[in-house]
Amino acid sequence: MCTAMAGEMLGMRLIYMDAGSGAKRAISESMIEKVAHHIEAPLIIGGGITDPEKAYLNCKAGPTLL
């Protein structure tokens, strides 16, 4: 969350959170929600999204883009 906030303060126009290609553990919905709540820049989530249910839960947690 702090890294995303710092990036926004430094002028980043969007924030990309990535668990990594083939990640065994995706970014948790609670982390996505916390970051989305504390920034205004668009938020993109990637990596570890292996099924439609995870994609849906990520979107529901608050990212701007998936």
Coordinates of all heavy atoms in Angstrom, one line a residue:
M1 N 0.8 -1.2 0.0 CA 0.0 0.0 0.0 C 0.9 1.2 0.0 O 0.6 2.2 -0.8 CB -0.9 0.0 1.2 CG -1.8 1.1 1.3 SD -3.0 1.0 2.7 CE -1.9 1.2 4.1
C2 N 1.9 1.3 0.9 CA 2.8 2.4 0.9 C 3.5 2.6 -0.4 O 3.7 3.8 -0.8 CB 3.7 2.3 2.1 SG 2.9 2.3 3.7
T3 N 4.0 1.5 -1.0 CA 4.7 1.7 -2.3 C 3.8 2.3 -3.3 O 4.2 3.1 -4.1 CB 5.2 0.3 -2.7 OG1 6.0 -0.2 -1.7 CG2 6.0 0.4 -4.0
A4 N 2.5 1.8 -3.4 CA 1.6 2.4 -4.3 C 1.3 3.9 -4.1 O 1.3 4.7 -5.0 CB 0.3 1.6 -4.3
M5 N 1.2 4.2 -2.8 CA 1.0 5.6 -2.5 C 2.2 6.5 -2.9 O 2.0 7.6 -3.4 CB 0.7 5.8 -1.0 CG -0.7 5.2 -0.6 SD -0.9 5.1 1.2 CE -0.9 6.8 1.6
A6 N 3.4 5.9 -2.6 CA 4.6 6.7 -2.9 C 4.7 6.9 -4.5 O 5.1 7.9 -4.9 CB 5.8 5.9 -2.4
G7 N 4.4 5.8 -5.2 CA 4.4 5.9 -6.7 C 3.5 7.0 -7.2 O 3.8 7.8 -8.0
E8 N 2.3 7.0 -6.6 CA 1.3 8.1 -7.0 C 1.8 9.5 -6.7 O 1.7 10.4 -7.5 CB 0.0 7.8 -6.3 CG -1.1 8.7 -6.7 CD -2.4 8.3 -6.1 OE1 -2.5 8.1 -4.9 OE2 -3.4 8.1 -6.9
M9 N 2.5 9.6 -5.5 CA 3.0 10.9 -5.1 C 4.2 11.3 -6.0 O 4.4 12.5 -6.2 CB 3.5 10.9 -3.6 CG 2.3 10.8 -2.6 SD 3.0 10.7 -1.0 CE 1.7 10.0 -0.1
L10 N 4.9 10.4 -6.5 CA 6.0 10.7 -7.4 C 5.6 10.9 -8.9 O 6.4 11.1 -9.7 CB 7.0 9.5 -7.4 CG 7.8 9.4 -6.1 CD1 8.6 8.1 -6.0 CD2 8.8 10.6 -6.0
G11 N 4.2 10.8 -9.1 CA 3.7 11.2 -10.4 C 3.3 10.0 -11.3 O 3.0 10.2 -12.5
M12 N 3.4 8.8 -10.8 CA 3.0 7.7 -11.6 C 1.5 7.8 -11.9 O 0.7 8.2 -11.1 CB 3.2 6.3 -10.8 CG 4.6 6.1 -10.4 SD 5.6 5.9 -11.9 CE 7.2 5.8 -11.1
R13 N 1.2 7.5 -13.2 CA -0.2 7.8 -13.6 C -1.1 6.5 -13.4 O -2.3 6.6 -13.5 CB -0.2 8.2 -15.1 CG 0.4 9.5 -15.3 CD 0.3 9.9 -16.7 NE 1.0 11.2 -16.8 CZ 1.2 11.8 -18.0 NH1 0.8 11.2 -19.1 NH2 1.8 13.0 -18.0
L14 N -0.5 5.4 -13.1 CA -1.2 4.2 -12.8 C -0.4 3.3 -11.9 O 0.9 3.4 -11.9 CB -1.7 3.4 -14.0 CG -0.7 2.9 -15.0 CD1 -0.3 1.5 -14.6 CD2 -1.4 2.8 -16.4
I15 N -1.0 2.4 -11.2 CA -0.3 1.5 -10.4 C -0.6 0.1 -10.9 O -1.7 -0.3 -11.1 CB -0.7 1.6 -8.9 CG1 -0.5 3.0 -8.4 CG2 0.0 0.6 -8.0 CD1 0.9 3.5 -8.4
Y16 N 0.5 -0.7 -11.0 CA 0.4 -2.1 -11.5 C 0.9 -3.0 -10.4 O 2.0 -3.0 -10.0 CB 1.2 -2.3 -12.8 CG 1.1 -3.7 -13.3 CD1 -0.1 -4.2 -13.8 CD2 2.3 -4.5 -13.4 CE1 -0.2 -5.5 -14.3 CE2 2.2 -5.8 -13.9 CZ 1.0 -6.3 -14.4 OH 0.9 -7.6 -14.9
M17 N -0.1 -3.8 -9.9 CA 0.3 -4.8 -8.8 C 0.3 -6.2 -9.5 O -0.6 -6.6 -10.1 CB -0.7 -4.9 -7.7 CG -0.8 -3.6 -6.9 SD -2.1 -3.6 -5.7 CE -1.7 -5.0 -4.6
D18 N 1.5 -6.9 -9.5 CA 1.6 -8.1 -10.2 C 2.2 -9.2 -9.2 O 3.3 -9.0 -8.6 CB 2.6 -7.9 -11.3 CG 2.8 -9.1 -12.2 OD1 2.0 -10.1 -12.1 OD2 3.7 -9.1 -13.1
A19 N 1.5 -10.3 -9.1 CA 2.0 -11.4 -8.3 C 3.1 -12.2 -9.1 O 3.8 -13.0 -8.5 CB 0.8 -12.4 -8.0
G20 N 3.2 -12.0 -10.4 CA 4.1 -12.7 -11.2 C 3.5 -13.8 -12.1 O 2.5 -14.4 -11.6
S21 N 4.0 -13.9 -13.3 CA 3.4 -14.9 -14.2 C 3.7 -16.3 -13.6 O 4.7 -16.7 -13.1 CB 4.2 -14.8 -15.5 OG 3.6 -15.8 -16.4
G22 N 2.6 -17.1 -13.5 CA 2.7 -18.4 -12.9 C 2.8 -18.4 -11.4 O 3.1 -19.4 -10.8
A23 N 2.4 -17.3 -10.8 CA 2.5 -17.2 -9.3 C 1.6 -18.3 -8.6 O 0.5 -18.5 -9.1 CB 2.1 -15.9 -8.8
K24 N 2.1 -18.9 -7.6 CA 1.3 -19.9 -6.9 C 0.3 -19.2 -6.0 O -0.8 -19.8 -5.7 CB 2.2 -20.8 -6.0 CG 3.1 -21.7 -6.9 CD 3.9 -22.6 -6.1 CE 4.9 -23.3 -7.1 NZ 5.1 -24.6 -6.8
R25 N 0.6 -18.0 -5.5 CA -0.3 -17.3 -4.7 C -0.6 -15.9 -5.4 O 0.3 -15.2 -5.6 CB 0.2 -17.0 -3.3 CG 0.3 -18.3 -2.5 CD 0.8 -18.0 -1.1 NE 1.0 -16.6 -0.8 CZ 1.3 -16.2 0.4 NH1 1.5 -17.0 1.4 NH2 1.4 -14.9 0.6
A26 N -1.8 -15.7 -5.6 CA -2.2 -14.4 -6.3 C -2.3 -13.3 -5.2 O -2.3 -13.6 -4.0 CB -3.6 -14.6 -6.9
I27 N -2.4 -12.1 -5.6 CA -2.6 -11.0 -4.7 C -3.9 -11.1 -4.0 O -4.9 -11.4 -4.7 CB -2.5 -9.6 -5.4 CG1 -1.1 -9.5 -6.0 CG2 -2.7 -8.5 -4.5 CD1 -0.9 -8.3 -7.0
S28 N -4.0 -11.0 -2.7 CA -5.2 -11.2 -2.0 C -6.2 -10.0 -2.2 O -5.8 -8.9 -2.5 CB -5.0 -11.3 -0.5 OG -4.5 -10.1 0.1
E29 N -7.5 -10.4 -2.1 CA -8.5 -9.3 -2.3 C -8.4 -8.2 -1.3 O -8.6 -7.1 -1.5 CB -9.9 -9.9 -2.3 CG -10.2 -10.8 -3.5 CD -9.7 -12.2 -3.3 OE1 -9.5 -12.7 -2.2 OE2 -9.5 -12.9 -4.4
S30 N -8.0 -8.6 0.0 CA -7.8 -7.6 1.0 C -6.7 -6.6 0.7 O -6.9 -5.4 0.9 CB -7.6 -8.3 2.4 OG -6.4 -9.0 2.4
M31 N -5.6 -7.1 0.1 CA -4.5 -6.2 -0.3 C -5.0 -5.3 -1.4 O -4.7 -4.1 -1.4 CB -3.3 -7.0 -0.7 CG -2.2 -6.1 -1.2 SD -1.6 -4.9 0.1 CE -0.7 -6.0 1.2
I32 N -5.7 -5.8 -2.4 CA -6.2 -5.0 -3.5 C -7.1 -3.9 -3.0 O -7.0 -2.8 -3.4 CB -7.0 -5.9 -4.5 CG1 -6.0 -6.9 -5.2 CG2 -7.7 -5.1 -5.6 CD1 -6.6 -8.0 -6.0
E33 N -8.0 -4.3 -2.1 CA -9.0 -3.4 -1.5 C -8.3 -2.3 -0.7 O -8.6 -1.1 -0.9 CB -9.9 -4.1 -0.6 CG -11.1 -3.3 -0.1 CD -12.0 -4.1 0.8 OE1 -12.3 -5.2 0.4 OE2 -12.5 -3.6 1.8
K34 N -7.3 -2.6 0.1 CA -6.5 -1.6 0.8 C -5.8 -0.6 -0.1 O -5.9 0.6 0.1 CB -5.5 -2.3 1.7 CG -6.1 -2.9 2.9 CD -5.1 -3.7 3.7 CE -5.8 -4.5 4.8 NZ -4.9 -5.4 5.5
V35 N -5.1 -1.1 -1.1 CA -4.4 -0.2 -2.1 C -5.4 0.6 -2.8 O -5.2 1.8 -2.9 CB -3.5 -1.1 -3.0 CG1 -3.0 -0.2 -4.1 CG2 -2.4 -1.7 -2.3
A36 N -6.5 0.0 -3.4 CA -7.5 0.8 -4.1 C -8.1 1.9 -3.3 O -8.4 3.0 -3.8 CB -8.5 -0.1 -4.7
H37 N -8.2 1.7 -2.0 CA -8.9 2.7 -1.1 C -7.9 3.9 -0.9 O -8.4 5.0 -0.6 CB -9.2 2.0 0.2 CG -9.9 2.9 1.1 ND1 -9.3 3.6 2.1 CD2 -11.2 3.3 1.2 CE1 -10.2 4.3 2.8 NE2 -11.3 4.1 2.3
H38 N -6.6 3.6 -1.0 CA -5.7 4.7 -0.6 C -5.0 5.4 -1.8 O -4.2 6.3 -1.5 CB -4.6 4.1 0.3 CG -5.0 3.8 1.7 ND1 -5.6 2.6 2.1 CD2 -5.0 4.6 2.8 CE1 -5.9 2.7 3.3 NE2 -5.6 3.9 3.8
I39 N -5.4 5.1 -3.0 CA -4.8 5.8 -4.1 C -6.0 6.2 -5.0 O -7.1 5.7 -4.9 CB -3.8 4.9 -4.9 CG1 -4.6 3.7 -5.5 CG2 -2.7 4.5 -4.1 CD1 -3.7 2.9 -6.5
E40 N -5.6 7.2 -5.9 CA -6.6 7.7 -6.9 C -6.3 7.2 -8.3 O -7.1 7.3 -9.2 CB -6.7 9.2 -6.8 CG -7.4 9.7 -5.5 CD -7.6 11.2 -5.4 OE1 -7.6 11.8 -6.5 OE2 -7.6 11.7 -4.3
A41 N -5.0 6.9 -8.5 CA -4.5 6.4 -9.8 C -5.2 5.1 -10.2 O -5.6 4.3 -9.3 CB -3.0 6.2 -9.8
P42 N -5.4 4.8 -11.5 CA -5.9 3.6 -11.9 C -5.1 2.4 -11.3 O -3.9 2.5 -11.3 CB -5.9 3.6 -13.4 CG -5.9 5.1 -13.7 CD -5.1 5.7 -12.6
L43 N -5.7 1.3 -11.0 CA -5.0 0.2 -10.4 C -5.2 -1.0 -11.3 O -6.3 -1.4 -11.7 CB -5.6 -0.1 -9.0 CG -5.0 -1.3 -8.3 CD1 -3.5 -1.2 -8.1 CD2 -5.7 -1.5 -6.9
I44 N -4.1 -1.7 -11.7 CA -4.1 -2.8 -12.6 C -3.6 -4.0 -11.8 O -2.6 -3.9 -11.1 CB -3.2 -2.6 -13.8 CG1 -3.7 -1.4 -14.6 CG2 -3.2 -3.9 -14.7 CD1 -2.8 -1.0 -15.8
I45 N -4.3 -5.1 -11.8 CA -3.8 -6.3 -11.1 C -3.5 -7.4 -12.1 O -4.2 -7.6 -13.1 CB -5.0 -6.9 -10.2 CG1 -5.5 -5.8 -9.3 CG2 -4.6 -8.1 -9.4 CD1 -4.5 -5.2 -8.3
G46 N -2.3 -8.1 -11.9 CA -1.9 -9.2 -12.8 C -1.2 -10.3 -12.0 O -0.8 -10.1 -10.9
G47 N -1.1 -11.4 -12.7 CA -0.4 -12.6 -12.1 C -1.2 -13.4 -11.2 O -1.9 -12.8 -10.3
G48 N -1.1 -14.7 -11.3 CA -1.8 -15.6 -10.3 C -3.3 -15.6 -10.5 O -4.0 -16.3 -9.7
I49 N -3.9 -15.0 -11.6 CA -5.3 -15.1 -11.8 C -5.5 -16.3 -12.7 O -5.3 -16.2 -13.9 CB -5.8 -13.8 -12.5 CG1 -5.4 -12.6 -11.6 CG2 -7.3 -13.8 -12.7 CD1 -5.6 -11.2 -12.3
T50 N -6.0 -17.4 -12.1 CA -6.1 -18.7 -12.8 C -7.5 -19.1 -13.2 O -7.6 -20.0 -14.0 CB -5.5 -19.8 -12.0 OG1 -6.2 -19.8 -10.7 CG2 -4.0 -19.5 -11.7
D51 N -8.5 -18.4 -12.8 CA -9.9 -18.7 -13.1 C -10.8 -17.5 -13.1 O -10.4 -16.5 -12.5 CB -10.4 -19.8 -12.2 CG -10.4 -19.5 -10.7 OD1 -11.0 -18.5 -10.4 OD2 -9.7 -20.2 -10.0
P52 N -11.9 -17.6 -13.7 CA -12.9 -16.5 -13.7 C -13.3 -16.0 -12.3 O -13.5 -14.8 -12.1 CB -14.1 -17.0 -14.5 CG -13.5 -18.1 -15.3 CD -12.4 -18.7 -14.5
E53 N -13.4 -16.9 -11.4 CA -13.8 -16.5 -10.0 C -12.8 -15.6 -9.4 O -13.2 -14.6 -8.8 CB -14.0 -17.8 -9.2 CG -14.4 -17.5 -7.7 CD -15.8 -16.9 -7.6 OE1 -16.6 -17.0 -8.5 OE2 -16.1 -16.4 -6.5
K54 N -11.5 -15.9 -9.5 CA -10.5 -15.0 -9.0 C -10.5 -13.6 -9.7 O -10.4 -12.6 -9.1 CB -9.1 -15.7 -9.1 CG -8.0 -14.8 -8.6 CD -8.1 -14.5 -7.2 CE -6.9 -13.6 -6.7 NZ -7.2 -12.9 -5.5
A55 N -10.7 -13.6 -11.0 CA -10.8 -12.4 -11.7 C -12.0 -11.5 -11.2 O -11.9 -10.3 -11.0 CB -11.0 -12.6 -13.2
Y56 N -13.1 -12.2 -11.0 CA -14.3 -11.5 -10.5 C -14.0 -10.9 -9.1 O -14.4 -9.8 -8.8 CB -15.5 -12.5 -10.4 CG -16.7 -11.9 -9.7 CD1 -17.5 -11.0 -10.3 CD2 -17.0 -12.3 -8.4 CE1 -18.6 -10.4 -9.6 CE2 -18.1 -11.8 -7.7 CZ -18.9 -10.8 -8.4 OH -19.9 -10.3 -7.7
L57 N -13.4 -11.7 -8.2 CA -13.1 -11.3 -6.8 C -12.2 -10.1 -6.8 O -12.3 -9.2 -6.1 CB -12.6 -12.4 -6.0 CG -13.6 -13.5 -5.7 CD1 -12.9 -14.7 -5.0 CD2 -14.8 -13.0 -4.9
N58 N -11.2 -10.2 -7.7 CA -10.2 -9.0 -7.9 C -11.0 -7.8 -8.3 O -10.8 -6.7 -7.7 CB -9.1 -9.3 -8.9 CG -8.1 -10.3 -8.4 OD1 -8.1 -10.7 -7.2 ND2 -7.2 -10.7 -9.2
C59 N -11.8 -7.9 -9.3 CA -12.6 -6.7 -9.7 C -13.5 -6.2 -8.6 O -13.6 -4.9 -8.4 CB -13.5 -7.1 -10.9 SG -12.5 -7.3 -12.4
K60 N -14.1 -7.0 -7.9 CA -15.0 -6.6 -6.8 C -14.2 -5.9 -5.7 O -14.8 -5.1 -5.0 CB -15.7 -7.9 -6.3 CG -16.9 -7.6 -5.4 CD -17.6 -8.9 -5.0 CE -18.6 -8.6 -3.9 NZ -19.2 -9.8 -3.5
A61 N -12.9 -6.3 -5.5 CA -12.1 -5.7 -4.5 C -11.7 -4.3 -4.8 O -11.3 -3.5 -3.9 CB -10.9 -6.6 -4.2
G62 N -11.8 -3.8 -6.0 CA -11.6 -2.4 -6.3 C -10.6 -2.0 -7.3 O -10.4 -0.8 -7.4
P63 N -9.9 -2.8 -8.1 CA -9.0 -2.3 -9.1 C -9.8 -1.6 -10.2 O -11.0 -1.9 -10.5 CB -8.3 -3.5 -9.6 CG -9.2 -4.6 -9.5 CD -10.0 -4.3 -8.2
T64 N -9.2 -0.7 -10.8 CA -9.8 0.0 -12.0 C -9.7 -0.9 -13.2 O -10.7 -0.9 -14.0 CB -9.0 1.3 -12.2 OG1 -9.0 2.1 -11.0 CG2 -9.7 2.1 -13.3
L65 N -8.6 -1.6 -13.4 CA -8.4 -2.4 -14.6 C -7.9 -3.8 -14.1 O -7.3 -3.9 -13.1 CB -7.4 -1.8 -15.5 CG -7.6 -0.3 -15.9 CD1 -6.4 0.2 -16.6 CD2 -8.8 -0.2 -16.9
L66 N -8.2 -4.8 -15.0 CA -7.7 -6.1 -14.7 C -6.9 -6.6 -15.9 O -7.3 -6.5 -17.0 CB -8.9 -7.0 -14.4 CG -8.7 -8.4 -14.1 CD1 -7.9 -8.6 -12.7 CD2 -9.9 -9.2 -14.0

